[in-house]
Amino acid sequence: MKLTEIFPVAISVAVIILIAVLEKQSKLVAAVTATMPVTIPLSLWIVYSSTQGEKLAVEQFTRGLATGIWPTVAFTLAVWLASRAGWKLLPIIAAGYTTWGATLLLLVGVQRILGMK
């Protein structure tokens, strides 16, 4: 295995462990850690390395990041609202992913209609 394959997994595991430890001290710090842009730089590194820094590939990837952030915001709002309503864990997660998927489909549809593909 290459370092570019191992490093992202190791960092992801370290962040999950860090969140588990921080959660005992501060829910806010744990939540902020959970939403840190950890996978974005790691993924960018993988794309950049695998394409030898090809400008178009990196630009397309980062444009996809800009598209992908909005469904993630919608996911977060949905799980927050579901948890405020007192829902159990699985329905909270289901509401989040349903909202995420619907928002993603909407954004991709709008991009295609506008010719932004």
Side-chain angles (χ1 to χ4, degrees), residues 77-95:
L77 290 173
V79 297
W80 174 59
L81 291 172
S83 67
R84 280 187 55 191
W87 294 11
K88 301 280 186 200
L89 179 61
L90 289 179
I92 290 172
I93 293 170

Side-chain angles (χ1 to χ4, degrees), residues 18-101:
L18 181 61
I19 292 166
V21 170
L22 289 174
E23 183 272 333
K24 303 289 186 225
Q25 305 301 321
S26 169
K27 302 290 189 243
L28 175 62
V29 173
V32 169
T33 303
T35 59
M36 283 179 9
V38 174
T39 57
I40 292 172
L42 294 172
S43 301
L44 183 57
W45 175 32
I46 291 168
V47 170
Y48 190 90
S49 298
S50 70
T51 64
Q52 289 76 44
E54 180 188 329
K55 181 183 176 196
L56 181 60
V58 174
E59 187 277 327
Q60 288 174 335
F61 178 75
T62 55
R63 185 176 348 125
L65 291 173
T67 300
I69 196 70
W70 299 110
T72 301
V73 170
F75 175 97
T76 304
L77 290 173
V79 297
W80 174 59
L81 291 172
S83 67
R84 280 187 55 191
W87 294 11
K88 301 280 186 200
L89 179 61
L90 289 179
I92 290 172
I93 293 170
Y97 276 113
T98 300
T99 304
W100 178 87

